[in-house]
Amino acid sequence: MMENKQNYTIRPAQEGDLPRLKSLMLEYIVDFYGCNPPDDKRLEALMKQLLEQKEGIQFVADNGEKLAGFATLYFTFSTLRASRVVVMNDLYVVEEQRGRDVAAALVQACRRYTAQNGFAGMSWVTAHDNHRAQRFYDKIGGEREEWITYNISPEF
């Protein structure tokens, strides 16, 4: 566990966090990214699966009464590295806490977890128009890749 200067403890999510974390995840999905809310049961199942820490893990920034943000890592493999890697799929900090080192503390916890668990590296993507996030990632030493991300639905 780690504390930042705003007295938030950065730690893995726990069962007791689920109601607050679910609310924060919906804020991220619906309000921040403008997506439709996911099916309630599917979101809850995903959150519980992340608590098992077998295929991924979530970290939260907690001050005891409020969650200020979260980061989600998923475990996968890199053929190019012939090793296991993590993908930071989500990094979200509530608006009133942005610019106060909460995101940096969450990323640091993810980096530490990556190193301590023998992963070869951590990668992430962000929206092309999320310039605030890009400035943050540049500031913390993230390296932009030359890869272009594609997505396709499972329907033919």
Side-chain angles (χ1 to χ4, degrees), residues 2-148:
M2 161 181 165
E3 280 200 26
N4 72 355
K5 64 185 178 184
Q6 295 296 314
N7 296 318
Y8 281 94
T9 300
I10 308 299
R11 59 169 176 73
Q14 302 167 356
E15 183 84 28
D17 296 321
L18 293 183
R20 295 183 299 162
L21 183 55
K22 180 180 177 185
S23 176
L24 201 60
M25 290 177 73
L26 286 169
E27 180 180 312
Y28 167 72
I29 294 165
V30 177
D31 298 338
F32 186 77
Y33 274 110
C35 296
N36 292 325
D39 176 78
D40 204 45
K41 288 182 181 178
R42 290 176 72 170
L43 181 59
E44 289 174 5
L46 172 62
M47 294 168 64
K48 288 181 180 180
Q49 186 173 8
L50 288 165
L51 290 178
E52 296 174 6
Q53 300 181 14
K54 292 179 182 171
E55 297 182 53
I57 184 173
Q58 278 187 305
F59 289 92
V60 295
D62 181 14
N63 76 352
E65 54 188 69
K66 184 175 181 186
L67 297 181
F70 68 93
T72 311
L73 298 179
Y74 290 106
F75 313 146
T76 190
F77 294 88
S78 168
T79 303
L80 298 179
R81 293 180 176 188
S83 296
R84 288 175 27 110
V85 295
V86 297
V87 174
M88 185 174 64
N89 201 67
D90 312 301
L91 176 63
Y92 182 68
V93 175
V94 296
E95 181 69 38
E96 64 269 13
Q97 293 298 319
R98 293 183 192 156
R100 298 183 179 180
D101 294 333
V102 176
L106 284 163
V107 170
Q108 184 60 32
C110 292
R111 290 182 74 187
R112 185 176 297 111
Y113 183 90
T114 299
Q116 290 173 345
N117 290 279
F119 290 96
M122 180 175 84
S123 64
W124 63 90
V125 297
T126 190
H128 66 89
D129 61 349
N130 192 344
H131 302 292
R132 183 176 187 166
Q134 291 169 31
R135 285 190 304 274
F136 169 72
Y137 295 139
D138 291 340
K139 179 181 169 185
I140 64 168
E143 297 179 22
R144 294 179 188 229
E145 300 269 331
E146 297 298 321
W147 301 91
I148 298 173

